[in-house]
Each structure stands twice: as C-alpha cells, then as structure tokens.
Amino acid sequence: MFREEKMSRPSELQLTNVTVGDLQSNPRGGKTAPILCDGKQIRLKLRGATTPFACSAYDQKSTRRALDIRTDKELREFCERLDAAILPFAGKLTCQASGYKSLAKAQKEGYDSLFRQKITLDDEGHTPVKFYTADKKRMTKEQIAAIEWRDVGMDLNLTISSVFVNAGNW
C-alpha cells in the first residue's frame, strides 16, 4: 500500500541543526556515520527527476549500484547547504575537509551536476526500495527489472541517512 510520508522539497528543508554521528561499520565492511537534521534523517521529495545513465556498479555482480539524478537549481542549492553543514564534522570522522565528496557530483563543462545516491538492486528486480507506478500501485520485481534506467523520469521520496567514509575520504 502506498503511504505518503512527511517529505520536504529541497528548498523547504532548513538545515539549521545538522549533526553527524560516530563512525560505524556497515554490513558490507564500509564505514558510515549517521546524518541527522533536528534529530531526524533527512527526507526529500524530488518531482520530475531524470537519470542520464543506467544504474551501475563497479562489478556486474554487485547489487549496490549508483543511481545518478540530474540536478536542478533547487537541488544544487540544497547540496551546497548540506555540504556547508557537514564539513565542520571532518575532524570527528578523522577525515580532511579536502577529501569530502558532495552529493552533487560535478560534470564536465556544459552539463549540470548529478545527485549521487546508492540503491540496492539486483538484475531480477529484488530490492528493499519500494517502487510504485504513476497510479500508486506497488511494482513487482519483474516490472522493476524491466526498467530502462537511462533517461527515465520519476518522482522520488528519498532519505539521506549517512555519510560514507573510505580511507579518509568521505
């Protein structure tokens, strides 16, 4: 059943009380630190988002894939505000500020930056992420597996829950 949850447009979200928690090891062996805003995870709604590429992974067997979304001005400005709120925590995470990678990934000249995110998804459509059709019906794993990700348009409800730390880069 589709459930509308409290989400904010990027421009509506006030990043006045952002905290980054202690480093934790995740099940895949990576190190992450939780990000909270006013004691809660950051929850965004993006409408009319599009992808320039298919979901990709460093190796074809991995189910942890990158899903890049084209940014608009509102999302780029949100990423800049989030970057400014998170950077003061570099020392807590034993990182250099220079090793920080924004969620907005710069592209070559003439192209908008991309909003970087990760999704767990295998080739058969198995995923913990909930996908819905335009009429708010839950998609089957077969429907999810059939998605042609390149240039797909979608509305997203997403959660920014943590920052990933790798060898001093984050």
Side-chain angles (χ1 to χ4, degrees), residues 95-146:
C95 296
Q96 297 293 322
S98 62
Y100 178 74
K101 293 183 178 101
S102 175
L103 289 176
K105 182 168 86 175
Q107 300 299 296
K108 62 184 176 181
E109 190 174 331
Y111 292 91
D112 286 333
S113 59
L114 298 175
F115 184 68
R116 302 178 317 140
Q117 54 192 323
K118 295 290 185 184
I119 184 172
T120 301
L121 175 68
D122 70 15
D123 292 335
E124 288 80 41
H126 296 99
T127 179
V129 178
K130 296 175 184 159
F131 287 81
Y132 295 90
T133 62
D135 58 352
K136 299 183 180 180
K137 292 190 171 115
R138 184 86 182 258
M139 292 176 73
T140 65
K141 64 182 181 182
E142 293 81 15
Q143 289 172 307
I144 296 167

mmCIF file of all heavy atoms in Angstrom, residues 95-146:
data_model
loop_
_atom_site.group_PDB
_atom_site.id
_atom_site.type_symbol
_atom_site.label_atom_id
_atom_site.label_comp_id
_atom_site.label_asym_id
_atom_site.label_seq_id
_atom_site.Cartn_x
_atom_site.Cartn_y
_atom_site.Cartn_z
ATOM 1 N N CYS A 95 38.766 12.704 8.994
ATOM 2 C CA CYS A 95 38.893 12.993 7.567
ATOM 3 C C CYS A 95 39.418 14.411 7.376
ATOM 4 O O CYS A 95 39.258 15.257 8.245
ATOM 5 C CB CYS A 95 37.536 12.887 6.871
ATOM 6 S SG CYS A 95 36.814 11.252 6.890
ATOM 7 N N GLN A 96 39.984 14.657 6.234
ATOM 8 C CA GLN A 96 40.355 16.010 5.836
ATOM 9 C C GLN A 96 39.172 16.605 5.076
ATOM 10 O O GLN A 96 38.510 15.909 4.299
ATOM 11 C CB GLN A 96 41.581 15.978 4.917
ATOM 12 C CG GLN A 96 42.826 15.430 5.572
ATOM 13 C CD GLN A 96 43.319 16.365 6.665
ATOM 14 O OE1 GLN A 96 43.260 17.585 6.536
ATOM 15 N NE2 GLN A 96 43.803 15.779 7.749
ATOM 16 N N ALA A 97 38.921 17.870 5.301
ATOM 17 C CA ALA A 97 37.839 18.531 4.572
ATOM 18 C C ALA A 97 38.049 18.402 3.066
ATOM 19 O O ALA A 97 37.094 18.289 2.299
ATOM 20 C CB ALA A 97 37.733 19.996 4.982
ATOM 21 N N SER A 98 39.311 18.369 2.628
ATOM 22 C CA SER A 98 39.609 18.273 1.196
ATOM 23 C C SER A 98 39.205 16.919 0.603
ATOM 24 O O SER A 98 39.087 16.789 -0.604
ATOM 25 C CB SER A 98 41.098 18.513 0.946
ATOM 26 O OG SER A 98 41.864 17.520 1.612
ATOM 27 N N GLY A 99 38.976 15.903 1.449
ATOM 28 C CA GLY A 99 38.574 14.584 0.962
ATOM 29 C C GLY A 99 37.078 14.414 0.829
ATOM 30 O O GLY A 99 36.595 13.346 0.447
ATOM 31 N N TYR A 100 36.316 15.471 1.124
ATOM 32 C CA TYR A 100 34.849 15.390 1.091
ATOM 33 C C TYR A 100 34.334 15.394 -0.341
ATOM 34 O O TYR A 100 34.792 16.169 -1.177
ATOM 35 C CB TYR A 100 34.248 16.565 1.861
ATOM 36 C CG TYR A 100 32.741 16.595 1.840
ATOM 37 C CD1 TYR A 100 32.005 15.702 2.595
ATOM 38 C CD2 TYR A 100 32.058 17.507 1.048
ATOM 39 C CE1 TYR A 100 30.624 15.721 2.577
ATOM 40 C CE2 TYR A 100 30.675 17.546 1.021
ATOM 41 C CZ TYR A 100 29.969 16.641 1.792
ATOM 42 O OH TYR A 100 28.595 16.663 1.766
ATOM 43 N N LYS A 101 33.371 14.517 -0.618
ATOM 44 C CA LYS A 101 32.719 14.473 -1.926
ATOM 45 C C LYS A 101 31.246 14.805 -1.735
ATOM 46 O O LYS A 101 30.524 14.095 -1.056
ATOM 47 C CB LYS A 101 32.863 13.084 -2.556
ATOM 48 C CG LYS A 101 34.279 12.761 -2.922
ATOM 49 C CD LYS A 101 34.354 11.411 -3.611
ATOM 50 C CE LYS A 101 35.767 11.124 -4.022
ATOM 51 N NZ LYS A 101 36.472 10.231 -3.167
ATOM 52 N N SER A 102 30.817 15.860 -2.341
ATOM 53 C CA SER A 102 29.435 16.309 -2.247
ATOM 54 C C SER A 102 28.489 15.294 -2.883
ATOM 55 O O SER A 102 28.885 14.523 -3.767
ATOM 56 C CB SER A 102 29.283 17.649 -2.967
ATOM 57 O OG SER A 102 27.941 18.057 -2.998
ATOM 58 N N LEU A 103 27.227 15.332 -2.460
ATOM 59 C CA LEU A 103 26.211 14.527 -3.148
ATOM 60 C C LEU A 103 25.989 15.038 -4.567
ATOM 61 O O LEU A 103 25.520 14.308 -5.421
ATOM 62 C CB LEU A 103 24.889 14.558 -2.381
ATOM 63 C CG LEU A 103 24.862 13.786 -1.072
ATOM 64 C CD1 LEU A 103 23.515 13.977 -0.376
ATOM 65 C CD2 LEU A 103 25.113 12.318 -1.317
ATOM 66 N N ALA A 104 26.328 16.302 -4.810
ATOM 67 C CA ALA A 104 26.240 16.865 -6.156
ATOM 68 C C ALA A 104 27.590 16.666 -6.832
ATOM 69 O O ALA A 104 28.579 17.299 -6.485
ATOM 70 C CB ALA A 104 25.884 18.348 -6.097
ATOM 71 N N LYS A 105 27.643 15.758 -7.777
ATOM 72 C CA LYS A 105 28.885 15.410 -8.462
ATOM 73 C C LYS A 105 29.036 16.279 -9.715
ATOM 74 O O LYS A 105 28.205 16.221 -10.629
ATOM 75 C CB LYS A 105 28.851 13.923 -8.824
ATOM 76 C CG LYS A 105 30.098 13.421 -9.509
ATOM 77 C CD LYS A 105 30.116 11.903 -9.582
ATOM 78 C CE LYS A 105 29.385 11.384 -10.778
ATOM 79 N NZ LYS A 105 29.478 9.927 -10.929
ATOM 80 N N ALA A 106 30.101 17.077 -9.742
ATOM 81 C CA ALA A 106 30.343 17.956 -10.884
ATOM 82 C C ALA A 106 30.579 17.133 -12.148
ATOM 83 O O ALA A 106 31.170 16.062 -12.106
ATOM 84 C CB ALA A 106 31.548 18.847 -10.599
ATOM 85 N N GLN A 107 30.126 17.669 -13.261
ATOM 86 C CA GLN A 107 30.316 17.045 -14.568
ATOM 87 C C GLN A 107 31.171 17.969 -15.429
ATOM 88 O O GLN A 107 31.473 19.092 -15.051
ATOM 89 C CB GLN A 107 28.958 16.800 -15.238
ATOM 90 C CG GLN A 107 28.038 15.890 -14.444
ATOM 91 C CD GLN A 107 28.632 14.515 -14.244
ATOM 92 O OE1 GLN A 107 28.848 13.796 -15.199
ATOM 93 N NE2 GLN A 107 28.910 14.150 -13.001
ATOM 94 N N LYS A 108 31.519 17.506 -16.614
ATOM 95 C CA LYS A 108 32.322 18.363 -17.486
ATOM 96 C C LYS A 108 31.501 19.588 -17.897
ATOM 97 O O LYS A 108 30.272 19.594 -17.784
ATOM 98 C CB LYS A 108 32.857 17.588 -18.682
ATOM 99 C CG LYS A 108 31.817 17.006 -19.600
ATOM 100 C CD LYS A 108 32.497 16.189 -20.686
ATOM 101 C CE LYS A 108 31.469 15.512 -21.552
ATOM 102 N NZ LYS A 108 32.073 14.704 -22.586
ATOM 103 N N GLU A 109 32.213 20.585 -18.366
ATOM 104 C CA GLU A 109 31.588 21.852 -18.703
ATOM 105 C C GLU A 109 30.408 21.670 -19.653
ATOM 106 O O GLU A 109 30.456 20.878 -20.596
ATOM 107 C CB GLU A 109 32.634 22.770 -19.350
ATOM 108 C CG GLU A 109 32.149 24.186 -19.513
ATOM 109 C CD GLU A 109 33.227 25.116 -20.027
ATOM 110 O OE1 GLU A 109 34.421 24.859 -19.754
ATOM 111 O OE2 GLU A 109 32.871 26.085 -20.699
ATOM 112 N N GLY A 110 29.350 22.401 -19.366
ATOM 113 C CA GLY A 110 28.156 22.343 -20.203
ATOM 114 C C GLY A 110 27.099 21.370 -19.698
ATOM 115 O O GLY A 110 26.001 21.320 -20.244
ATOM 116 N N TYR A 111 27.421 20.601 -18.660
ATOM 117 C CA TYR A 111 26.475 19.634 -18.108
ATOM 118 C C TYR A 111 26.204 19.953 -16.645
ATOM 119 O O TYR A 111 27.123 20.318 -15.900
ATOM 120 C CB TYR A 111 27.024 18.206 -18.208
ATOM 121 C CG TYR A 111 27.129 17.713 -19.627
ATOM 122 C CD1 TYR A 111 28.299 17.901 -20.350
ATOM 123 C CD2 TYR A 111 26.057 17.081 -20.240
ATOM 124 C CE1 TYR A 111 28.408 17.455 -21.655
ATOM 125 C CE2 TYR A 111 26.152 16.635 -21.553
ATOM 126 C CZ TYR A 111 27.335 16.826 -22.256
ATOM 127 O OH TYR A 111 27.424 16.392 -23.542
ATOM 128 N N ASP A 112 24.943 19.804 -16.232
ATOM 129 C CA ASP A 112 24.603 20.008 -14.834
ATOM 130 C C ASP A 112 25.218 18.912 -13.981
ATOM 131 O O ASP A 112 25.456 17.792 -14.451
ATOM 132 C CB ASP A 112 23.080 19.980 -14.646
ATOM 133 C CG ASP A 112 22.413 21.246 -15.162
ATOM 134 O OD1 ASP A 112 23.082 22.298 -15.181
ATOM 135 O OD2 ASP A 112 21.234 21.177 -15.539
ATOM 136 N N SER A 113 25.440 19.230 -12.713
ATOM 137 C CA SER A 113 25.953 18.221 -11.788
ATOM 138 C C SER A 113 24.899 17.129 -11.603
ATOM 139 O O SER A 113 23.734 17.291 -11.960
ATOM 140 C CB SER A 113 26.311 18.869 -10.447
ATOM 141 O OG SER A 113 25.188 19.496 -9.884
ATOM 142 N N LEU A 114 25.352 16.014 -11.060
ATOM 143 C CA LEU A 114 24.465 14.882 -10.803
ATOM 144 C C LEU A 114 24.345 14.660 -9.306
ATOM 145 O O LEU A 114 25.314 14.826 -8.564
ATOM 146 C CB LEU A 114 25.008 13.611 -11.467
ATOM 147 C CG LEU A 114 25.124 13.655 -12.975
ATOM 148 C CD1 LEU A 114 25.790 12.388 -13.497
ATOM 149 C CD2 LEU A 114 23.770 13.857 -13.626
ATOM 150 N N PHE A 115 23.162 14.291 -8.854
ATOM 151 C CA PHE A 115 22.905 13.975 -7.450
ATOM 152 C C PHE A 115 23.222 12.499 -7.263
ATOM 153 O O PHE A 115 22.563 11.632 -7.826
ATOM 154 C CB PHE A 115 21.442 14.273 -7.127
ATOM 155 C CG PHE A 115 21.066 14.087 -5.695
ATOM 156 C CD1 PHE A 115 21.561 14.935 -4.721
ATOM 157 C CD2 PHE A 115 20.199 13.081 -5.327
ATOM 158 C CE1 PHE A 115 21.194 14.776 -3.399
ATOM 159 C CE2 PHE A 115 19.833 12.912 -4.011
ATOM 160 C CZ PHE A 115 20.335 13.764 -3.042
ATOM 161 N N ARG A 116 24.277 12.214 -6.496
ATOM 162 C CA ARG A 116 24.761 10.850 -6.312
ATOM 163 C C ARG A 116 23.975 10.144 -5.217
ATOM 164 O O ARG A 116 23.773 10.681 -4.148
ATOM 165 C CB ARG A 116 26.238 10.857 -5.911
ATOM 166 C CG ARG A 116 27.129 11.546 -6.892
ATOM 167 C CD ARG A 116 28.569 11.598 -6.469
ATOM 168 N NE ARG A 116 28.762 11.923 -5.061
ATOM 169 C CZ ARG A 116 29.681 11.347 -4.289
ATOM 170 N NH1 ARG A 116 30.483 10.438 -4.752
ATOM 171 N NH2 ARG A 116 29.810 11.714 -3.041
ATOM 172 N N GLN A 117 23.571 8.926 -5.493
ATOM 173 C CA GLN A 117 22.932 8.103 -4.483
ATOM 174 C C GLN A 117 23.187 6.639 -4.778
ATOM 175 O O GLN A 117 23.588 6.282 -5.874
ATOM 176 C CB GLN A 117 21.447 8.398 -4.388
ATOM 177 C CG GLN A 117 20.708 8.297 -5.689
ATOM 178 C CD GLN A 117 19.318 8.879 -5.587
ATOM 179 O OE1 GLN A 117 18.668 8.754 -4.585
ATOM 180 N NE2 GLN A 117 18.861 9.505 -6.636
ATOM 181 N N LYS A 118 22.968 5.819 -3.783
ATOM 182 C CA LYS A 118 23.156 4.374 -3.926
ATOM 183 C C LYS A 118 21.811 3.683 -3.775
ATOM 184 O O LYS A 118 20.946 4.118 -3.031
ATOM 185 C CB LYS A 118 24.115 3.829 -2.858
ATOM 186 C CG LYS A 118 25.524 4.350 -2.979
ATOM 187 C CD LYS A 118 26.206 3.780 -4.190
ATOM 188 C CE LYS A 118 27.658 4.214 -4.244
ATOM 189 N NZ LYS A 118 28.322 3.782 -5.422
ATOM 190 N N ILE A 119 21.676 2.580 -4.490
ATOM 191 C CA ILE A 119 20.460 1.781 -4.428
ATOM 192 C C ILE A 119 20.877 0.305 -4.445
ATOM 193 O O ILE A 119 21.834 -0.063 -5.120
ATOM 194 C CB ILE A 119 19.516 2.119 -5.608
ATOM 195 C CG1 ILE A 119 18.202 1.368 -5.514
ATOM 196 C CG2 ILE A 119 20.190 1.887 -6.934
ATOM 197 C CD1 ILE A 119 17.173 1.814 -6.540
ATOM 198 N N THR A 120 20.183 -0.501 -3.677
ATOM 199 C CA THR A 120 20.424 -1.945 -3.698
ATOM 200 C C THR A 120 19.398 -2.554 -4.637
ATOM 201 O O THR A 120 18.192 -2.420 -4.426
ATOM 202 C CB THR A 120 20.296 -2.553 -2.278
ATOM 203 O OG1 THR A 120 21.247 -1.896 -1.438
ATOM 204 C CG2 THR A 120 20.565 -4.041 -2.294
ATOM 205 N N LEU A 121 19.901 -3.202 -5.695
ATOM 206 C CA LEU A 121 19.025 -3.725 -6.739
ATOM 207 C C LEU A 121 19.770 -4.801 -7.513
ATOM 208 O O LEU A 121 20.892 -4.572 -7.954
ATOM 209 C CB LEU A 121 18.633 -2.580 -7.687
ATOM 210 C CG LEU A 121 17.812 -2.901 -8.920
ATOM 211 C CD1 LEU A 121 16.411 -3.342 -8.535
ATOM 212 C CD2 LEU A 121 17.751 -1.684 -9.831
ATOM 213 N N ASP A 122 19.157 -5.976 -7.671
ATOM 214 C CA ASP A 122 19.807 -6.999 -8.494
ATOM 215 C C ASP A 122 19.140 -7.072 -9.857
ATOM 216 O O ASP A 122 18.148 -6.385 -10.125
ATOM 217 C CB ASP A 122 19.858 -8.360 -7.781
ATOM 218 C CG ASP A 122 18.512 -9.041 -7.647
ATOM 219 O OD1 ASP A 122 17.533 -8.650 -8.315
ATOM 220 O OD2 ASP A 122 18.424 -9.996 -6.859
ATOM 221 N N ASP A 123 19.692 -7.900 -10.742
ATOM 222 C CA ASP A 123 19.195 -7.976 -12.120
ATOM 223 C C ASP A 123 17.779 -8.525 -12.220
ATOM 224 O O ASP A 123 17.097 -8.315 -13.218
ATOM 225 C CB ASP A 123 20.134 -8.826 -12.977
ATOM 226 C CG ASP A 123 21.474 -8.156 -13.196
ATOM 227 O OD1 ASP A 123 21.537 -6.911 -13.124
ATOM 228 O OD2 ASP A 123 22.465 -8.878 -13.424
ATOM 229 N N GLU A 124 17.331 -9.260 -11.190
ATOM 230 C CA GLU A 124 15.979 -9.825 -11.206
ATOM 231 C C GLU A 124 14.945 -8.871 -10.606
ATOM 232 O O GLU A 124 13.769 -9.205 -10.543
ATOM 233 C CB GLU A 124 15.935 -11.156 -10.448
ATOM 234 C CG GLU A 124 16.616 -12.308 -11.188
ATOM 235 C CD GLU A 124 18.130 -12.254 -11.014
ATOM 236 O OE1 GLU A 124 18.603 -11.969 -9.901
ATOM 237 O OE2 GLU A 124 18.840 -12.482 -12.017
ATOM 238 N N GLY A 125 15.374 -7.706 -10.134
ATOM 239 C CA GLY A 125 14.435 -6.731 -9.584
ATOM 240 C C GLY A 125 14.249 -6.818 -8.079
ATOM 241 O O GLY A 125 13.411 -6.120 -7.526
ATOM 242 N N HIS A 126 15.020 -7.671 -7.401
ATOM 243 C CA HIS A 126 14.934 -7.741 -5.941
ATOM 244 C C HIS A 126 15.573 -6.489 -5.340
ATOM 245 O O HIS A 126 16.705 -6.156 -5.691
ATOM 246 C CB HIS A 126 15.650 -8.979 -5.397
ATOM 247 C CG HIS A 126 15.029 -10.254 -5.832
ATOM 248 N ND1 HIS A 126 15.525 -10.991 -6.883
ATOM 249 C CD2 HIS A 126 13.940 -10.916 -5.380
ATOM 250 C CE1 HIS A 126 14.776 -12.065 -7.052
ATOM 251 N NE2 HIS A 126 13.802 -12.037 -6.158
ATOM 252 N N THR A 127 14.878 -5.824 -4.452
ATOM 253 C CA THR A 127 15.359 -4.598 -3.846
ATOM 254 C C THR A 127 14.567 -4.289 -2.583
ATOM 255 O O THR A 127 13.369 -4.584 -2.515
ATOM 256 C CB THR A 127 15.254 -3.416 -4.832
ATOM 257 O OG1 THR A 127 15.720 -2.228 -4.188
ATOM 258 C CG2 THR A 127 13.845 -3.199 -5.319
ATOM 259 N N PRO A 128 15.186 -3.683 -1.572
ATOM 260 C CA PRO A 128 14.428 -3.221 -0.415
ATOM 261 C C PRO A 128 13.711 -1.893 -0.685
ATOM 262 O O PRO A 128 12.882 -1.448 0.107
ATOM 263 C CB PRO A 128 15.494 -3.062 0.673
ATOM 264 C CG PRO A 128 16.750 -2.799 -0.074
ATOM 265 C CD PRO A 128 16.631 -3.552 -1.366
ATOM 266 N N VAL A 129 14.024 -1.259 -1.814
ATOM 267 C CA VAL A 129 13.413 0.007 -2.188
ATOM 268 C C VAL A 129 12.003 -0.260 -2.711
ATOM 269 O O VAL A 129 11.771 -1.226 -3.429
ATOM 270 C CB VAL A 129 14.264 0.716 -3.272
ATOM 271 C CG1 VAL A 129 13.617 2.006 -3.720
ATOM 272 C CG2 VAL A 129 15.671 0.950 -2.766
ATOM 273 N N LYS A 130 11.083 0.606 -2.352
ATOM 274 C CA LYS A 130 9.701 0.467 -2.817
ATOM 275 C C LYS A 130 9.512 1.285 -4.091
ATOM 276 O O LYS A 130 9.798 2.473 -4.120
ATOM 277 C CB LYS A 130 8.728 0.936 -1.742
ATOM 278 C CG LYS A 130 8.783 0.087 -0.502
ATOM 279 C CD LYS A 130 7.908 0.652 0.581
ATOM 280 C CE LYS A 130 8.089 -0.176 1.832
ATOM 281 N NZ LYS A 130 7.697 0.555 3.024
ATOM 282 N N PHE A 131 9.042 0.630 -5.138
ATOM 283 C CA PHE A 131 8.757 1.271 -6.412
ATOM 284 C C PHE A 131 7.255 1.240 -6.643
ATOM 285 O O PHE A 131 6.599 0.230 -6.371
ATOM 286 C CB PHE A 131 9.432 0.506 -7.565
ATOM 287 C CG PHE A 131 10.922 0.674 -7.627
ATOM 288 C CD1 PHE A 131 11.754 -0.074 -6.816
ATOM 289 C CD2 PHE A 131 11.487 1.576 -8.512
ATOM 290 C CE1 PHE A 131 13.124 0.060 -6.885
ATOM 291 C CE2 PHE A 131 12.860 1.723 -8.586
ATOM 292 C CZ PHE A 131 13.684 0.968 -7.769
ATOM 293 N N TYR A 132 6.719 2.354 -7.163
ATOM 294 C CA TYR A 132 5.287 2.452 -7.444
ATOM 295 C C TYR A 132 5.076 2.944 -8.869
ATOM 296 O O TYR A 132 5.883 3.692 -9.410
ATOM 297 C CB TYR A 132 4.621 3.439 -6.473
ATOM 298 C CG TYR A 132 4.670 2.979 -5.038
ATOM 299 C CD1 TYR A 132 5.722 3.325 -4.213
ATOM 300 C CD2 TYR A 132 3.673 2.170 -4.521
ATOM 301 C CE1 TYR A 132 5.775 2.897 -2.895
ATOM 302 C CE2 TYR A 132 3.715 1.731 -3.207
ATOM 303 C CZ TYR A 132 4.768 2.108 -2.403
ATOM 304 O OH TYR A 132 4.830 1.671 -1.105
ATOM 305 N N THR A 133 3.960 2.549 -9.438
ATOM 306 C CA THR A 133 3.563 3.056 -10.749
ATOM 307 C C THR A 133 3.004 4.465 -10.570
ATOM 308 O O THR A 133 2.788 4.921 -9.445
ATOM 309 C CB THR A 133 2.498 2.152 -11.385
ATOM 310 O OG1 THR A 133 1.343 2.156 -10.539
ATOM 311 C CG2 THR A 133 3.020 0.728 -11.576
ATOM 312 N N ALA A 134 2.722 5.147 -11.678
ATOM 313 C CA ALA A 134 2.174 6.501 -11.616
ATOM 314 C C ALA A 134 0.833 6.543 -10.892
ATOM 315 O O ALA A 134 0.479 7.557 -10.292
ATOM 316 C CB ALA A 134 2.031 7.068 -13.028
ATOM 317 N N ASP A 135 0.086 5.426 -10.931
ATOM 318 C CA ASP A 135 -1.199 5.389 -10.217
ATOM 319 C C ASP A 135 -1.064 4.800 -8.813
ATOM 320 O O ASP A 135 -2.035 4.333 -8.225
ATOM 321 C CB ASP A 135 -2.266 4.663 -11.039
ATOM 322 C CG ASP A 135 -1.882 3.239 -11.395
ATOM 323 O OD1 ASP A 135 -0.729 2.841 -11.141
ATOM 324 O OD2 ASP A 135 -2.745 2.519 -11.927
ATOM 325 N N LYS A 136 0.165 4.831 -8.252
ATOM 326 C CA LYS A 136 0.472 4.482 -6.862
ATOM 327 C C LYS A 136 0.238 3.018 -6.516
ATOM 328 O O LYS A 136 -0.113 2.676 -5.399
ATOM 329 C CB LYS A 136 -0.283 5.405 -5.905
ATOM 330 C CG LYS A 136 0.085 6.860 -6.080
ATOM 331 C CD LYS A 136 -0.599 7.747 -5.081
ATOM 332 C CE LYS A 136 -0.170 9.196 -5.323
ATOM 333 N NZ LYS A 136 -0.791 10.105 -4.392
ATOM 334 N N LYS A 137 0.452 2.133 -7.489
ATOM 335 C CA LYS A 137 0.388 0.688 -7.235
ATOM 336 C C LYS A 137 1.814 0.176 -7.120
ATOM 337 O O LYS A 137 2.688 0.554 -7.904
ATOM 338 C CB LYS A 137 -0.361 -0.026 -8.346
ATOM 339 C CG LYS A 137 -1.831 0.321 -8.363
ATOM 340 C CD LYS A 137 -2.603 -0.573 -9.303
ATOM 341 C CE LYS A 137 -4.067 -0.325 -9.104
ATOM 342 N NZ LYS A 137 -4.736 0.239 -10.209
ATOM 343 N N ARG A 138 2.058 -0.686 -6.158
ATOM 344 C CA ARG A 138 3.396 -1.231 -5.927
ATOM 345 C C ARG A 138 3.834 -2.040 -7.145
ATOM 346 O O ARG A 138 3.085 -2.863 -7.670
ATOM 347 C CB ARG A 138 3.363 -2.126 -4.670
ATOM 348 C CG ARG A 138 4.688 -2.683 -4.255
ATOM 349 C CD ARG A 138 5.450 -1.705 -3.369
ATOM 350 N NE ARG A 138 6.743 -2.213 -3.005
ATOM 351 C CZ ARG A 138 7.048 -2.742 -1.845
ATOM 352 N NH1 ARG A 138 6.128 -2.833 -0.905
ATOM 353 N NH2 ARG A 138 8.248 -3.178 -1.603
ATOM 354 N N MET A 139 5.056 -1.810 -7.603
ATOM 355 C CA MET A 139 5.586 -2.525 -8.758
ATOM 356 C C MET A 139 6.101 -3.896 -8.340
ATOM 357 O O MET A 139 6.615 -4.068 -7.239
ATOM 358 C CB MET A 139 6.722 -1.723 -9.408
ATOM 359 C CG MET A 139 6.254 -0.439 -10.064
ATOM 360 S SD MET A 139 7.617 0.552 -10.735
ATOM 361 C CE MET A 139 8.067 -0.424 -12.148
ATOM 362 N N THR A 140 5.982 -4.845 -9.244
ATOM 363 C CA THR A 140 6.513 -6.186 -8.996
ATOM 364 C C THR A 140 8.008 -6.194 -9.312
ATOM 365 O O THR A 140 8.514 -5.313 -10.005
ATOM 366 C CB THR A 140 5.825 -7.219 -9.898
ATOM 367 O OG1 THR A 140 6.167 -6.924 -11.269
ATOM 368 C CG2 THR A 140 4.308 -7.203 -9.725
ATOM 369 N N LYS A 141 8.702 -7.230 -8.848
ATOM 370 C CA LYS A 141 10.137 -7.317 -9.146
ATOM 371 C C LYS A 141 10.366 -7.446 -10.649
ATOM 372 O O LYS A 141 11.360 -6.947 -11.171
ATOM 373 C CB LYS A 141 10.791 -8.454 -8.369
ATOM 374 C CG LYS A 141 10.304 -9.811 -8.724
ATOM 375 C CD LYS A 141 10.968 -10.878 -7.887
ATOM 376 C CE LYS A 141 10.430 -12.201 -8.350
ATOM 377 N NZ LYS A 141 10.882 -13.323 -7.677
ATOM 378 N N GLU A 142 9.438 -8.063 -11.374
ATOM 379 C CA GLU A 142 9.568 -8.174 -12.828
ATOM 380 C C GLU A 142 9.463 -6.795 -13.487
ATOM 381 O O GLU A 142 10.190 -6.495 -14.435
ATOM 382 C CB GLU A 142 8.511 -9.126 -13.394
ATOM 383 C CG GLU A 142 8.694 -10.579 -12.991
ATOM 384 C CD GLU A 142 8.149 -10.899 -11.591
ATOM 385 O OE1 GLU A 142 7.390 -10.091 -11.023
ATOM 386 O OE2 GLU A 142 8.509 -11.974 -11.065
ATOM 387 N N GLN A 143 8.552 -5.980 -12.995
ATOM 388 C CA GLN A 143 8.421 -4.622 -13.530
ATOM 389 C C GLN A 143 9.674 -3.793 -13.234
ATOM 390 O O GLN A 143 10.149 -3.041 -14.085
ATOM 391 C CB GLN A 143 7.196 -3.919 -12.929
ATOM 392 C CG GLN A 143 5.868 -4.454 -13.424
ATOM 393 C CD GLN A 143 4.714 -3.855 -12.638
ATOM 394 O OE1 GLN A 143 4.699 -3.901 -11.407
ATOM 395 N NE2 GLN A 143 3.753 -3.290 -13.355
ATOM 396 N N ILE A 144 10.208 -3.954 -12.035
ATOM 397 C CA ILE A 144 11.415 -3.217 -11.653
ATOM 398 C C ILE A 144 12.592 -3.657 -12.510
ATOM 399 O O ILE A 144 13.359 -2.831 -13.011
ATOM 400 C CB ILE A 144 11.709 -3.406 -10.148
ATOM 401 C CG1 ILE A 144 10.579 -2.791 -9.315
ATOM 402 C CG2 ILE A 144 13.056 -2.795 -9.777
ATOM 403 C CD1 ILE A 144 10.602 -3.181 -7.858
ATOM 404 N N ALA A 145 12.746 -4.960 -12.707
ATOM 405 C CA ALA A 145 13.851 -5.484 -13.518
ATOM 406 C C ALA A 145 13.778 -4.982 -14.958
ATOM 407 O O ALA A 145 14.801 -4.851 -15.629
ATOM 408 C CB ALA A 145 13.843 -7.010 -13.487
ATOM 409 N N ALA A 146 12.577 -4.687 -15.446
ATOM 410 C CA ALA A 146 12.397 -4.259 -16.833
ATOM 411 C C ALA A 146 12.626 -2.758 -17.044
ATOM 412 O O ALA A 146 12.603 -2.284 -18.185
ATOM 413 C CB ALA A 146 10.987 -4.628 -17.303
#
